[in-house]
Amino acid sequence: MAVIASSMELPSISDALSSRMLRLVLALLVATGVGALIVDYARMLRLHKKMPPGPLPLPIIGNTHLLPNSKPWIYFEELSKRLNSPVITFWIGRNPTIWINDAWSASELLDKKAAIYASRPRMVVFAELTGMQQSSDVHAKKPGSNLVTMYYGDRWRVHRKLTHAGVGLQQVRKYRGFQNDESRVIAYDLLHTPEKYVAHFERYATSVVSIIGFHRRVSSTEDPIITEVIAVMQKAAELNVPGKTFPMLFETFPVLTRLSPTLFPWMFQGLGKRRRGQQFFYALAEEANKKTPDQPCYANQLFEERPKYGLRDDEISSLAGNLFGAGSDTSSSTLITFVLACCAFPEVLPKAWEELDRVVGHHRSPSWEDETELVYIKAFVKEVLRWRSVAIIGGQPHAPIADDEWNGYTIPKGTWTQGNVWAIHHNEHEFPDPDRFNPDRFLKESPDARPFPNDKGYMTFGWGRRVCSGQGLAEQGTFITVARLLWAFNIQKAHDEQGDEIPVDIFAYTDGLNMRPQTFPCRFTPRSAEIRDAIEREGRQALEDLAIYEGESERVAEFFTRNKQEA
């Protein structure tokens, strides 16, 4: 009986040992995890002490919980003032980010040290999840497929060279003819359907870039290329703004990217449109190369250079698509801001009209030859670009290729470094009463003028070697179009049914990186009968001149048909 009893006790002893081992393993795992957390948090605190001022980060989440639900650039501006430092550190998860909030510090770091701040940081959402960055290793053999997100190196130089061949400062002057004609068409369209002014601006901006890229103009506001381009660009802009909801939360917890989009579609929502855009732009470029091989357009250049540089399909797609990023959504948004400024600050218009009437008259619209004499109009354009800059946080972030120092603080290699254009352009020191639209700021003899670290007086297009490639095209088109619309119309607030003016809100803007005004009604009234006749005459002539670029795109139709079937 004793033997039987002893044998019956063996399983319970074995179970006890197994249970104890399990507890030991679990305790060891917990201890290892806590130890790793302590070591990692110690690393964060060491960096926090060495880097520019910022709120104390928490373990794992850093300062992500402090991010506002919208317009974080305003929060960073306020935080910079509170900490009394133009350069601040803010932790997105376990990674520090640098935010530069005044013009002089931005110039010192991003312009004067352009060679150091020439690279990009790891961008999980905007770059890796959309296939534009293949690796977080800055020395990777595959630095990415897109100039915008590419790490600094030899492949970046190839893409930059090819981009300059399309929209570099030496090239854009060649586009003045059709850019001017498309601008004349805007005035013509506003004369007949002024309520569609947003659609007219989008058509114009998309058409100019489409002619450069594919030798095909966009003649209708209903052309599907407009909706696709604007949607892709705005979605890309949304994926560039720090946030604490999906998909931007991937920046805080990159490990979540290993989850399956099929099992967790709500996490990956919004990324498909960015991927679809890559296919769309390659289809446009390939079609242009086949249909108009002898015509001078950017797509033909890319396919001609393909063997020399070994360009992949995704690289051709990104180079072609970046034309739209440089000049479609941004240019149309700038023109909408121009209209908002006219409605909100009508007191600045008479001075513009006086100069236009003196230099140009009513019998024709402004031309490029008038530019040197249109001093106030050029100041007006600069104030449009300053007052509500489209790329409100200066485009994509920079990253130093080596450890750097600012005012005794360390900025480690690879750190996400962002210029806060909103804060820079709303600094009271450089721009007193910054929310007031005041072109006099850019007149040298004006008491409102203030020193600025660059000759332009604004930082709308970024800095250093990562400055926007389409800057020349955008500035050129904005000048001629703003000059023409100021010459042509009295742009005013709309009236309600009782005949009272409908107020406009100068702070009602979208939340994306490329911000634009929320929709608002307005009026476009020709300034004289003679001007109305000139608009009609020049508009009809412009449409005749642009006829050489007319044509349908079979690939666009096929693309949208296929995507509807797959949806």
Side-chain angles (χ1 to χ4, degrees), residues 458-497:
Y458 55 80
M459 293 180 166
T460 305
F461 297 97
W463 304 269
R465 298 181 184 180
R466 292 286 185 166
V467 69
C468 175
S469 301
Q471 176 175 350
L473 182 69
E475 290 176 330
Q476 182 173 282
T478 302
F479 165 75
I480 199 64
T481 303
V482 167
R484 178 165 284 116
L485 296 185
L486 285 171
W487 165 85
F489 301 105
N490 182 7
I491 303 172
Q492 302 165 282
K493 297 184 183 78
H495 287 154
D496 60 20
E497 294 178 355

Side-chain angles (χ1 to χ4, degrees), residues 72-92:
W73 44 87
I74 298 177
Y75 168 75
F76 292 127
E77 176 192 32
E78 295 170 349
L79 183 61
S80 174
K81 292 178 179 177
R82 196 185 320 151
L83 296 171
N84 194 30
S85 176
V87 179
I88 61 173
T89 304
F90 188 89
W91 288 74
I92 302 295

